[in-house]
Amino acid sequence: MSALKENVDSPLKKKKPRWSDVWLRNTKPLKHVVFTMPLQSLSSKDPKSQALIPNFANIDRTLLLSDELLLDILSRLPRPQRNPNSLVCKRWLNLQGRLVRSLKILDWDFLESGRLFTRFPNLTHVDLLNGCFFSPRDSGILLTHRLVSMRMSSGFCPNCKFLQENMLPVEVVDKGLQALASGCPNLRRLMVINASEFGLLTVAEECLTLQELELHKCNDNVLRGIAACANLQILKLVANVDGLYTSIVTDIGLTILAQGCKRLVKLELNGCEGSFDGIKAIGQCCLMLEELTICDHKMDDGWLAGLSYCENLKTLKLLSCKRIDWSPGRDEYLGFCRALERLHLQKCQLRSKKSVGALFRVCETVREIVIQDCWGLDNDMFRFASVCRRVKLLSLEGCSLLTTEGLEAVILSWHDLESLTVVSCENVKESDITPALATLFAILKELRWRPDAKSLLVSSLVGTGMGKRGGRFFKRT
């Protein structure tokens, strides 16, 4: 009986596992089963369900990802693939807009309506130059300048005031700047034309991180708004452009600028007026200024002496200047820039020996001299560069009046010269190279010698004998 009881009781002690226990213990296999059961039941019972199975593969599985995770994935893709990805769906389009940091505005209504900030909420670089003009969208005529470009109708009248007449009014530009300041508080770079003091003040107060500004058609009053940008580091002022528009920046504006923007690192003055006082104010107030670019200036005589007050200036660029300084004053009053390392002259007219000599005197501490397409640079003009004893790099391009003799007279006195580039200088002949100049070429670390196409051809044929064989086959008749 006892044995029978044990046999009878044993099945009762070992209870059969319930379905709920199995479900709770191991859910991974069951998930797969439950996931496939509806598909099998639909495919076996209802023939219409067979059409649902292929559509299941087209379900957007990225809906399971959060916006932050998907945004991180899209940001890691190469830039050429980002724009096509924005066409996938509206969600991807909105996420792509959050990745855009730089934008060029062509339609001013897009800015004023607020759609710009909905579509691109994280902009940091905005270019408003082309959007500040009345231009037909369907026109195939494009007016392009090195500073601006715009479309125009076929019936336009070319004159010096054409662009000025087709600009948006100052009030409209200021209204757009107010909308931009409120919609892009993290703005770092801005390019605008025909703005006023009040519009720029709004940007300066709302966009505290603004670091780079390019302002076209500005004057002294407008610079009061720029002076409120305390964190501005890079500034480009375009006052007057021949044939496009006119505006005036004098010493008053330069002084206001210098007293307000004391953290400037790079400054470009394009078509600005001024004199010694304006440059001196910039040098005394902007102690962090390292690069100064002066393009097509309208400054009074004597402005060169103000450069000596720029104590930390490292790079000086003169671009498209019709004159340097007709009356720079005595050498003892000029001074020099102690920290200057690079001097770049491009498309300048070097007519006055006195002004060229004063320029090299102010820049006597430079280590790099780059002269490109400057009219009037002959042997006498280039001889003034011998005062720069610390030059390590010299680049000459398009200096057609300079000869080999004039080049040799200067570079042989530079004992630290390491790199030399001579391109498109027609009067620099290989036949005039002296043994002393050839010895200097041998010890240079870098030499690019291409004064003209003919000398390049001769140097490439040395040792081949091809220059002599041509006389046998090509005879004069």
Side-chain angles (χ1 to χ4, degrees):
M1 293 294 292
S2 62
L4 182 59
K5 287 182 179 180
E6 292 178 358
N7 294 334
V8 174
D9 296 339
S10 59
L12 296 176
K13 294 180 179 179
K14 297 180 180 179
K15 297 181 180 180
K16 295 182 179 180
R18 292 180 297 177
W19 178 255
S20 59
D21 296 335
V22 177
W23 182 272
L24 296 174
R25 287 179 183 177
N26 191 4
T27 59
K28 293 183 179 180
L30 293 176
K31 287 182 179 179
H32 178 69
V33 173
V34 174
F35 182 73
T36 56
M37 283 177 62
L39 297 180
Q40 294 177 359
S41 61
L42 289 174
S43 62
S44 59
K45 295 180 180 180
D46 189 3
K48 295 182 180 180
S49 63
Q50 296 180 359
L52 299 176
I53 298 175
N55 294 334
F56 181 78
N58 296 330
I59 294 178
D60 186 6
R61 300 182 180 180
T62 60
L63 295 176
L64 301 176
L65 303 177
S66 62
D67 289 347
E68 290 73 15
L69 183 57
L70 186 57
L71 190 65
D72 183 63
I73 295 174
L74 294 176
S75 64
R76 298 176 185 273
L77 296 176
R79 291 187 179 274
Q81 296 182 7
R82 292 183 181 180
N83 291 334
N85 290 333
S86 64
L87 303 178
V88 174
C89 59
K90 290 185 178 180
R91 184 191 180 197
W92 285 37
L93 178 64
N94 295 330
L95 292 177
Q96 174 64 22
R98 293 167 61 180
L99 293 175
V100 176
R101 298 291 185 269
S102 178
L103 193 66
K104 179 182 293 187
I105 306 298
L106 302 179
D107 186 2
W108 196 260
D109 295 335
F110 187 56
L111 170 63
E112 285 190 338
S113 63
R115 292 176 294 165
L116 171 66
F117 317 113
T118 305
R119 178 70 177 84
F120 307 102
N122 298 324
L123 289 176
T124 57
H125 296 61
V126 178
D127 183 0
L128 300 178
L129 290 181
N130 294 333
C132 293
F133 293 97
F134 295 107
S135 58
R137 301 180 182 179
D138 56 348
S139 175
I141 304 175
L142 182 65
L143 174 63
T144 303
H145 190 265
R146 62 183 179 86
L147 297 175
V148 295
S149 62
M150 62 172 293
R151 296 187 179 277
M152 62 184 67
S153 60
S154 58
F156 76 97
C157 180
N159 53 51
C160 60
K161 296 182 180 181
F162 170 72
L163 285 183
Q164 192 166 347
E165 294 174 353
N166 286 271
M167 291 181 186
L168 294 178
V170 177
E171 297 78 12
V172 177
V173 177
D174 289 344
K175 186 178 179 181
L177 289 179
Q178 292 177 1
L180 182 65
S182 59
C184 299
N186 297 323
L187 191 65
R188 294 186 179 180
R189 183 170 183 256
L190 175 63
M191 302 170 64
V192 66
I193 188 172
N194 202 28
S196 72
E197 173 188 355
F198 301 103
L200 294 175
L201 278 175
T202 305
V203 176
E205 294 174 354
E206 300 292 336
C207 305
L208 300 179
T209 59
L210 186 64
Q211 298 179 353
E212 185 174 353
L213 177 63
E214 182 174 338
L215 183 61
H216 294 245
K217 199 179 182 299
C218 58
N219 51 41
D220 294 341
N221 294 329
V222 175
L223 295 180
R224 295 180 180 179
I226 297 178
C229 302
N231 296 319
L232 200 63
Q233 297 181 4
I234 302 176
L235 177 61
K236 180 178 180 180
L237 299 179
V238 183
N240 182 28
V241 180
D242 295 337
L244 297 183
Y245 49 80
T246 58
S247 187
I248 299 177
V249 173
T250 63
D251 286 335
I252 298 176
L254 296 181
T255 304
I256 295 173
L257 169 66
Q259 294 178 353
C261 304
K262 296 183 179 181
R263 296 187 178 182
L264 282 180
V265 178
K266 293 183 180 180
L267 175 62
E268 179 175 346
L269 303 177
N270 198 319
C272 297
E273 298 182 6
S275 64
F276 168 81
D277 295 332
I279 302 299
K280 178 183 177 181
I282 292 175
Q284 290 179 336
C285 298
C286 303
L287 300 179
M288 300 174 61
L289 187 64
E290 296 183 357
E291 181 175 328
L292 176 61
T293 302
I294 299 178
C295 180
D296 192 19
H297 73 84
K298 307 293 189 297
M299 296 186 182
D300 298 335
D301 298 339
W303 70 271
L304 268 177
L307 293 175
S308 60
Y309 291 89
C310 303
E311 297 181 355
N312 296 317
L313 188 65
K314 296 182 179 180
T315 303
L316 176 62
K317 296 181 179 181
L318 299 180
L319 310 178
S320 303
C321 294
K322 299 180 177 63
R323 57 186 177 87
I324 304 298
D325 191 342
W326 287 111
S327 181
R330 291 185 176 183
D331 294 343
E332 55 268 22
Y333 298 121
L334 284 175
F336 61 94
C337 300
R338 300 180 182 275
L340 194 63
E341 297 180 356
R342 290 171 290 273
L343 173 62
H344 290 202
L345 299 175
Q346 183 178 357
K347 297 181 180 180
C348 295
Q349 298 184 16
L350 308 180
R351 300 185 178 185
S352 173
K353 294 182 179 180
K354 190 174 183 180
S355 63
V356 174
L359 175 63
F360 284 113
R361 176 67 64 181
V362 173
C363 306
E364 64 180 22
T365 61
V366 296
R367 298 179 181 271
E368 298 180 8
I369 296 179
V370 178
I371 303 177
Q372 182 180 1
D373 298 329
C374 290
W375 183 88
L377 184 67
D378 54 10
N379 295 342
D380 295 334
M381 293 288 188
F382 187 64
R383 191 173 288 111
F384 290 109
S386 59
V387 71
C388 306
R389 303 286 184 179
R390 303 167 60 184
V391 176
K392 291 186 177 181
L393 182 147
L394 174 64
S395 178
L396 300 174
E397 183 176 352
C399 303
S400 58
L401 300 180
L402 186 65
T403 65
T404 310
E405 180 183 358
L407 176 65
E408 180 182 5
V410 175
I411 64 176
L412 287 181
S413 63
W414 292 344
H415 302 291
D416 296 334
L417 187 64
E418 298 178 354
S419 177
L420 176 63
T421 299
V422 180
V423 177
S424 301
C425 300
E426 299 177 355
N427 286 324
V428 178
K429 306 295 183 180
E430 289 186 349
S431 57
D432 298 334
I433 296 178
T434 62
L437 191 57
T439 303
L440 176 62
F441 290 171
I443 63 176
L444 291 176
K445 293 183 178 180
E446 183 180 359
L447 175 62
R448 185 185 177 192
W449 185 263
R450 200 177 63 188
D452 54 22
K454 188 175 182 179
S455 62
L456 178 64
L457 179 63
V458 172
S459 61
S460 62
L461 298 180
V462 172
T464 62
M466 293 182 64
K468 298 180 181 180
R469 296 176 186 174
R472 299 181 181 179
F473 301 99
F474 302 98
K475 296 181 180 180
R476 296 181 179 179
T477 58

